[in-house]
Amino acid sequence: MSQENIIEVWNAVLNILEKQISESTFTTWILPLEPQYFDDNCFVIHTGQAFAVNLLRGNHYNQIASAVKTVLNKELEIKIIFDEELQKKIEKKSKARAAAAQQQEQTAKPKYDSLTQMQSSNLNLKYKFENFVVGSNNKLAYVAAQTVAQKPGEKYNPLYIYGGPGLGKTHIMQAIGHYIIKNTPELKVLFITAEEFVNDVVNALARGDEKTKNMNKFRKKYREVDVLLIDDIQLIAGKTRTEEEVFNTFNTLHGAGKQIVLTSDRTPKEIPSLSDRLISRFEWGLMADIQPPDIETRMAILSNLARDSNIEVPNNIIEFLATVYENNIRELEGAFNRVTAYASINETPLTVENVKKIINYEEKANVFSFDGIVNEVAAYYNVSPKDIKGSGRSAKIAEARQIAIYLCRELTKQSLPAIGNFFDKKHTTILYSYDKVKNELNTNYSLSHSVETIQKLLNK
Ligand code: ADP
Ligand code: MG
């Protein structure tokens, strides 16, 4: 065989050696050898590992020599020579291999994964976009929430969602968090209720000696997130130190382009004693309100719940429940859960009669309804309910309307947006009317007399 075929020769030698030498020795010391040349006297092999020279000469010389003899049919002297260039080449290769392996490990295991983020975010798995029913009542908030979830920190910052109790504020806020964690797990999301935030401030301040350390820890916790979700922000009002921390946290995050989402039961301006600087910041981005759902949305919500439960809920029951609970989805859901729990325990069929008993419907009928109040006020003032709900401005109608609004708020404890929805007025108008009557009750005798009389009639 000629010199040109040295690679082939060497491969044949390797084939023989592989069977005779332990696997680890073979891969570590033999495989990296590079044959150089051979003539009639010797066969020269280079190694990049200095240690290999003595090791192979001492322990495997005969095996190599005999393998070469088998292939070339000649007895040659085997020369194993350390080659510095080859050493460098091997080192370079192994570094590249290590780097590639490390990179592969990183891509396979991202630094942040959704599960870890989920655990530190405080989010509730129940509140996702997928199970949020969109209706005309919450469309604006929904679209804004989606925008924020897709491009946090870019468009509406802060996003301020407000509306009455049980209308889905917490749900939609958490949905933003879930979406971000799922789609951009490298972003850190933190959900917190304003109440917890207040407690955190109080605790950090309370521990005498360690106050500074605790405050630093507190600040780190809130300022190192990419998306901060604070629920029921109205609860910080009047708590000076908390307001200050919210202010500083807000500035830091907003300045760094981090997303802030807030929910509240009212607009920033309507939060009593909230500092002006916070009011203005909360209004910087987008304010989106959620109104009570219309009947179709309520039915859609119930249909979804029915689909997810294993209980067959007839349509007429869904319709009935949807007509009874107009202003609070939490109550609507609560009633639905009671009904299905009952149905799963008892084998009696679900009829409207049964359902009425389950939800104490008779009792609820005694509770004041918006319509009942408006009808009573209208009768007292000798105007039509339509006038009261309309926008006529005569003094009599205006007073009747304000009293109706006041009583709706006082007697039903419904939210301003819910009342606003019923009267087809902005809830700021509702708040104005309510405050006006309330303030005048002590000074305006005729007004207080009318209010008392109507209330007595309603209680009959
Ligand atoms: P809020 O924070 O406004 O008081 P929540 O977000 O806690 O109200 O909602 C109350 C309940 O109603 C939750 O169980 C929530 O999942 C449900 N809910 C509210 N809005 C919707 C909606 N649009 N679609 C489905 N479920 C809703
Ligand atoms: Mg809530």
Side-chain angles (χ1 to χ4, degrees), residues 17-211:
L17 292 176
E18 196 178 7
K19 290 176 197 118
Q20 302 171 349
I21 295 175
S22 78
E23 200 193 338
S24 63
T25 303
F26 183 81
T27 46
T28 318
W29 306 109
I30 308 279
L31 212 51
L33 295 173
E34 292 207 347
Q36 297 301 308
Y37 72 91
F38 65 91
D39 55 22
D40 288 335
N41 301 313
C42 65
F43 195 108
V44 180
I45 307 163
H46 280 191
T47 172
Q49 301 159 288
F51 187 62
V53 177
N54 285 337
L55 178 102
L56 294 177
R57 270 192 207 141
N59 298 345
H60 301 288
Y61 183 86
N62 289 342
Q63 285 165 312
I64 297 172
S66 99
V68 168
K69 190 183 166 201
T70 312
V71 175
L72 291 175
N73 211 10
K74 265 191 275 191
E75 201 144 356
L76 299 178
E77 186 194 348
I78 307 295
K79 288 188 173 165
I80 301 173
I81 297 164
F82 172 61
D83 178 346
E84 222 169 311
E85 284 311 313
L86 186 58
Q87 184 187 34
K88 283 184 194 144
K89 214 165 90 187
I90 291 173
E91 266 172 15
K92 221 162 140 191
K93 244 193 209 160
S94 83
K95 265 189 200 150
R97 213 178 303 130
Q102 198 183 4
Q103 198 182 5
Q104 197 186 12
E105 195 180 56
Q106 270 174 358
T107 31
K109 225 198 287 157
K111 205 160 153 211
Y112 302 98
D113 63 88
S114 301
L115 185 67
T116 339
Q117 292 292 48
M118 187 54 215
Q119 283 161 348
S120 64
S121 67
N122 266 342
L123 293 173
N124 179 332
L125 274 174
K126 199 181 141 210
Y127 300 140
K128 296 190 172 180
F129 281 129
E130 287 84 345
N131 53 2
F132 187 82
V133 176
V134 186
S136 53
N137 63 309
N138 56 27
K139 183 88 196 227
L140 174 65
Y142 176 78
V143 172
Q146 288 246 316
T147 307
V148 161
Q150 283 156 13
K151 298 203 160 133
E154 284 187 27
K155 203 155 175 197
Y156 307 127
N157 207 8
L159 171 61
Y160 187 101
I161 300 168
Y162 67 99
L167 294 183
K169 302 182 297 294
T170 302
H171 186 140
I172 201 156
M173 171 188 247
Q174 293 213 8
I176 298 175
H178 282 297
Y179 185 97
I180 293 176
I181 285 179
K182 180 159 175 233
N183 294 285
T184 33
E186 66 276 16
L187 295 186
K188 194 162 167 40
V189 175
L190 180 64
F191 169 87
I192 182 126
T193 64
E195 213 175 349
E196 287 164 322
F197 193 92
V198 172
N199 288 340
D200 256 12
V201 175
V202 172
N203 287 335
L205 289 175
R207 301 200 207 117
D209 293 349
E210 302 200 339
K211 204 151 98 182

Side-chain angles (χ1 to χ4, degrees), residues 169-170 231-232 263 330:
K169 302 182 297 294
T170 302
D231 205 12
D232 289 319
T263 69
R330 190 176 297 114

